[in-house]
Amino acid sequence: MAVRPAYSQQTAFVPTMGALHEGHISLVKAAREKAETVVVSIFVNPTQFNDAADFQHYPVSLEQDIDMLTAAGANVLYLPGLTDMYPDGTANLEQYPLGTLENLLEGFYRPGHFQGVCQVVRRLLEHVQPGLLFMGQKDYQQCIVVQHMIDDTQLPVHMQLVPTMREPSGLAMSSRNRRLTPPELEASVALYQALLHMAAHARTQPIEALEAAAAQSLLDAGFHKIDYITLANAQTLAPVSNPQTEPMVAIAAAFIGAVRLIDNLPVEA
């Protein structure tokens, strides 16, 4: 029997936590175009949840997920258990040098989250050994963090970013959208609209004024807590110092009802 070479460029990997939607399926379809074998994992990783209630309420729909992955052409479904990923438990796990990424935006509001992301993604990559890793741009900061980890550990994996899939309203597809009530779902499109306005005017209007107007538009729409809605350097996520020349991203996290939504839009050069 032939042995598949380690970290083969003919193997693409899509890590997920299940509760799949068309955004996940777009990753699988993109992977199908680049590799002979597409591996998808489903594992709800406890180390990246800094809110125990969020972990407990994370939606599970395994049978539906399997049907969707089969239809999309995934070749292998990897369903590790907790002891597969963390045979020695989750205490005193390795820490990664993430620099300022660990303290900015998501890092500030979800302490420990990105360490958990790196811990699980590294283990998954070592188990699956793909040459290609497909991730969605909706989790923008997570993608930057994972690329940082890959570079730091020198894993022979090339990351492919796939554009955010959106509902017809513009709302970014997310497993968390299932928890929105119909009125919340309708109101949540304000997040995309606010980012769209910020991105369109980022190079011509004062950033502070754009951020203040965006935050107020979310509150007016029914969002009750805004962690951040800002323009940041697209490479470092640091505050923008020169909006005329810097690569920028409009990025946000805010609560509507009990659900925390995140989204981002790149700013055109």
Side-chain angles (χ1 to χ4, degrees), residues 246-264:
E246 279 186 60
M248 290 189 289
V249 61
I251 190 166
F255 286 84
I256 187 163
V259 181
R260 185 178 188 268
L261 299 178
I262 65 170
D263 200 357
N264 67 85

Side-chain angles (χ1 to χ4, degrees), residues 50-260:
N50 57 320
D51 183 343
D54 200 18
F55 174 64
Q56 293 169 359
H57 294 143
Y58 197 85
V60 176
S61 54
L62 183 57
E63 290 186 7
Q64 178 181 328
D65 292 348
I66 291 173
D67 290 342
M68 293 176 69
L69 292 172
T70 301
N75 303 103
V76 179
L77 174 59
Y78 179 38
L79 294 170
L82 185 62
T83 55
D84 297 314
M85 302 303 296
Y86 304 106
D88 298 319
T90 57
N92 302 314
L93 294 173
E94 74 280 4
Q95 298 292 296
Y96 293 86
L98 301 178
T100 57
L101 286 170
E102 195 161 15
N103 302 312
L104 293 170
L105 304 178
E106 287 298 285
F108 178 82
Y109 286 97
R110 302 183 67 186
H113 170 67
F114 287 128
Q115 289 295 333
V117 168
C118 289
Q119 288 155 2
V120 72
V121 172
R122 182 175 183 178
R123 284 165 171 77
L124 288 167
L125 291 174
E126 290 176 341
H127 292 182
V128 176
Q129 298 194 350
L132 302 171
L133 170 65
F134 283 77
M135 298 186 71
Q137 193 169 337
K138 185 181 80 72
D139 296 295
Y140 189 86
Q141 188 170 1
Q142 177 173 277
C143 293
I144 294 177
V145 165
V146 170
Q147 184 63 64
H148 187 96
M149 181 274 292
I150 289 172
D151 293 341
D152 185 65
T153 56
Q154 298 185 325
L155 289 173
V157 179
H158 180 67
M159 184 190 293
Q160 302 269 335
L161 290 185
V162 179
T164 302
M165 288 286 289
R166 298 185 179 278
E167 303 289 352
S169 66
L171 176 67
M173 291 184 179
S174 171
S175 304
R176 298 174 189 273
N177 294 352
R178 301 184 186 192
R179 294 166 53 193
L180 296 170
T181 65
E184 289 167 352
L185 192 62
E186 183 177 354
S188 62
V189 69
L191 185 61
Y192 172 67
Q193 292 170 342
L195 291 172
L196 200 63
H197 184 267
M198 289 178 70
H201 298 283
R203 303 212 184 268
T204 58
Q205 296 185 17
I207 287 179
E208 289 186 3
L210 285 171
E211 292 172 344
Q216 188 60 53
S217 72
L218 294 187
L219 295 173
D220 292 344
F223 284 80
H224 63 89
K225 180 183 177 185
I226 302 168
D227 283 349
Y228 57 86
I229 183 160
T230 188
L231 286 156
N233 183 287
Q235 297 169 345
T236 66
L237 294 181
V240 173
S241 58
N242 191 336
Q244 278 68 48
T245 60
E246 279 186 60
M248 290 189 289
V249 61
I251 190 166
F255 286 84
I256 187 163
V259 181
R260 185 178 188 268

